Amino acid sequence: MKTLVPAVAIWGRTAPSHSITAVMITDDQKTIVTGSQEGQICLWDLSPDLKISSKEILFGHTASVTCLAKARE
């Protein structure tokens, strides 16, 4: 049985910069993925009424994210 452990990022009064350099939308059109010049990847929820809300921010790249691609199952 898999157990999901959500990651929690804590920062000060403002979130880290996220200068978008790459954008991808999932096949189900419910999630937008953005890559940034700062090296982060962000996941965004897209509601049926086209409202976008942040879901997750992934840290770890040391260079700009210039391309995003879907992985095969």
Side-chain angles (χ1 to χ4, degrees), residues 44-68:
W44 308 84
D45 282 328
L46 180 60
S47 69
D49 58 344
L50 302 179
K51 290 187 181 179
I52 299 171
S53 58
S54 60
K55 182 176 178 180
E56 296 178 59
I57 186 167
L58 310 171
F59 296 93
H61 290 88
T62 57
S64 177
V65 177
T66 58
C67 182
L68 296 167

Side-chain angles (χ1 to χ4, degrees), residues 17-22 34-42 58-68:
S17 297
H18 187 71
S19 306
I20 295 174
T21 54
T34 57
S36 77
Q37 184 175 357
E38 295 79 16
Q40 305 130 1
I41 295 175
C42 289
L58 310 171
F59 296 93
H61 290 88
T62 57
S64 177
V65 177
T66 58
C67 182
L68 296 167

Side-chain angles (χ1 to χ4, degrees), residues 5-33:
V5 178
V8 176
I10 300 174
W11 48 75
R13 292 190 176 274
T14 58
S17 297
H18 187 71
S19 306
I20 295 174
T21 54
V23 178
M24 183 186 76
I25 190 164
T26 57
D27 290 335
D28 63 6
Q29 298 182 346
K30 293 182 180 180
T31 303
I32 296 172
V33 183

